[in-house]
Amino acid sequence: MLAPALTVAAIGLTAASGACAGIAVARRAAPRRVAPAAIVMTVSALDMLLPGTMLAPVAWGAVLLLAALALLLGRPARAARSELGWHAGSILLMAAMWFGMAVPDAAGGAVVAGPAHAGHAGPVLAALLLLLAAAGLAVAAFVHLPRARRQEPGVAAWRHPLMAVAMLAMLVAMPAW
């Protein structure tokens, strides 16, 4: 019962975060290279949460790693570094989630697995590490929010907290777990 509600919440929060990132790019509060990364992240989240897949988990992990690296390439302006780092961190976490779904454990399930694999320490530890990373990202985004709102009034400042909470919801709701 909880998984469908979390899936809808994760999709909605991801879409809202993508819209806020688009607003930030349009207002020039975020570098233009954030827009393609936000689109890739949104499509990846939809593919993860909805039935059927467009790409294999390893392929999604690789695409997301490349997207994160593309954000960090070059010598961005000092003001853009923080923004690019926030997006790259979220994308790397999503890549780790995809790679976790791709690697089978000894019992044949995904490395990042739910209660069905509770007897295996590896999958439980991997899931716990991903959950802790997502929770840490969420806490950091909400701690950073007052500063972001001072620098950029309006809804666009909410893009990182929205995505961080969406990632937490994805971890719990993903059908592959």
Side-chain angles (χ1 to χ4, degrees):
M1 278 264 166
L2 186 59
L6 285 173
T7 299
V8 170
I11 290 170
L13 290 167
T14 300
S17 175
C20 288
I23 291 169
V25 170
R27 290 182 181 168
R28 300 180 194 259
R32 281 182 284 168
R33 61 176 129 168
V34 165
I39 291 168
V40 168
M41 186 75 158
T42 302
V43 172
S44 169
L46 289 173
D47 194 25
M48 184 181 285
L49 294 166
L50 297 175
T53 57
M54 294 175 10
L55 292 177
V58 171
W60 266 122
V63 165
L64 291 167
L65 277 177
L66 290 174
L69 288 173
L71 286 174
L72 299 175
L73 283 177
R75 300 180 61 91
R78 183 176 173 96
R81 289 181 194 154
S82 174
E83 181 69 22
L84 295 172
W86 278 107
H87 283 279
S90 294
I91 290 172
L92 288 174
L93 183 59
M94 180 71 86
M97 289 165 56
W98 277 109
F99 283 132
M101 291 181 352
V103 182
D105 70 0
V111 165
V112 181
H117 295 285
H120 306 286
V124 173
L125 181 60
L128 182 61
L129 288 174
L130 275 175
L131 188 61
L132 287 173
L137 188 66
V139 167
F142 277 100
V143 166
H144 177 72
L145 183 60
R147 180 174 168 217
R149 293 200 63 185
R150 281 192 302 274
Q151 293 175 346
E152 181 182 357
V155 297
W158 283 87
R159 62 191 170 276
H160 302 301
L162 288 171
M163 181 49 78
V165 173
M167 301 276 266
L168 283 170
M170 280 180 228
L171 278 168
V172 177
M174 279 196 327
W177 288 160

